[in-house]
Amino acid sequence: QSALTQPASVSGSPGQSITISCTGTSSDVGSYNRVSWYQQPPGKAPKLIIYDVTKRPSGVSNRFSGSKSGNTASLTISGLQAEDEADYYCNSFTRTYTLIFGGGTRLTVL
Amino acid sequence: EVQLLESGGGLVQPGGSLRLSCAASGFTFRSYAMSWLRQPPGMGLEWVSGITGSGSTTFYSDSVKGRFTISRDNSKNMLYLQMDNLRAEDTALYYCAKDSGTYSLSYFDPWGQGTLVTVSS
């Protein structure tokens, strides 16, 4: 099964908002609300920032939000800060009882 | 505080075997499904395998099915990954991670720090 499709890179200036898309198929993103997003700073382990499409774990800033339309999920980061610079990965449950990740998006804060 | 500590990584020749371990603490281990995930150097994340809280059901990605075996010992709060017939493309940092519920392939929080597996002659 192919990976979910994410843009390789996005960038924004401090204070701006950016959105990262994650496109799958009707066999994964389009059929299940088990979509999650992870933030991975360089050299560190991934950290959960969004689960079940729209939910934020305790302690995660409300500047992070998630949504889904059809086969595409999205992560929006508002009020960009330098500390947001990291790689971001989406993940979805699939109908074959596996999990699939996106290829990852490198966020650069200009 | 939930803690996950992986061990067992190292250098192994193609066709060889390795067993990874993950020591869990800070939560009721038997109540949560667990997974192994990996990240090749400089590349993205890949889910490898998952196991329910009781250990009765296991799940595998197509890339490792038939070669890797996930297991757990709830009496010791330990998760394992037996890796056989290793290939160069299995070279990666391997993470263990806590799932959201007893029987779920859902989201992972937290992740361990990883153990590096290198397959090379």
Side-chain angles (χ1 to χ4, degrees):
Chain A
Q1 187 165 8
S2 299
L4 304 175
T5 300
Q6 295 181 233
S9 63
V10 297
S11 62
S13 299
Q16 288 186 331
S17 294
I18 63 96
T19 297
I20 300 172
S21 61
C22 170
T23 301
T25 70
S26 58
S27 296
D28 38 68
V29 175
S31 291
Y32 304 97
N33 286 329
R34 293 193 198 179
V35 175
S36 53
W37 290 88
Y38 299 87
Q39 177 192 60
Q40 187 178 33
K44 294 193 173 183
K47 173 190 172 185
L48 177 72
I49 55 173
I50 295 289
Y51 67 97
D52 293 350
V53 179
T54 62
K55 299 176 182 177
R56 268 189 321 274
S58 174
V60 172
S61 171
N62 59 9
R63 298 185 299 105
F64 294 90
S65 62
S67 63
K68 189 181 85 167
S69 177
N71 296 337
T72 298
S74 299
L75 171 71
T76 298
I77 308 175
S78 59
L80 268 180
Q81 299 179 359
E83 67 200 48
D84 298 332
E85 196 159 278
D87 292 329
Y88 291 83
Y89 294 91
C90 62
N91 176 265
S92 175
F93 179 78
T94 81
R95 70 175 180 182
T96 57
Y97 281 82
T98 60
L99 293 166
I100 188 170
F101 278 91
T105 299
R106 174 70 53 88
L107 170 61
T108 301
V109 181
L110 301 170
Chain B
E1 179 192 6
V2 174
Q3 290 194 334
L4 301 170
L5 184 61
E6 304 94 336
S7 61
L11 175 64
V12 61
Q13 291 188 339
S17 297
L18 211 56
R19 188 197 198 203
L20 305 184
S21 300
C22 173
S25 62
F27 65 102
T28 305
F29 184 66
R30 65 180 181 276
S31 295
Y32 290 90
M34 298 289 293
S35 273
W36 287 98
L37 306 100
R38 67 185 181 184
Q39 185 170 33
M43 297 181 65
L45 299 171
E46 180 188 9
W47 174 82
V48 173
S49 180
I51 187 169
T52 56
S54 67
S56 61
T57 306
T58 57
F59 308 91
Y60 298 94
S61 67
D62 288 344
S63 60
V64 306
K65 194 176 296 182
R67 300 188 299 121
F68 290 12
T69 303
I70 190 172
S71 62
R72 63 192 296 161
D73 185 337
N74 286 345
S75 69
K76 296 181 179 179
N77 288 0
M78 293 292 295
L79 177 71
Y80 304 103
L81 186 67
Q82 177 67 40
M83 303 186 295
D84 298 320
N85 191 19
L86 282 160
R87 307 166 179 166
E89 54 265 37
D90 295 318
T91 294
L93 186 63
Y94 283 74
Y95 295 100
C96 73
K98 172 178 167 284
D99 208 320
S100 61
T102 303
Y103 192 102
S104 61
L105 288 180
S106 185
Y107 56 89
F108 304 109
D109 183 30
W111 301 47
Q113 288 304 304
T115 186
L116 183 62
V117 172
T118 303
V119 184
S120 175
S121 54

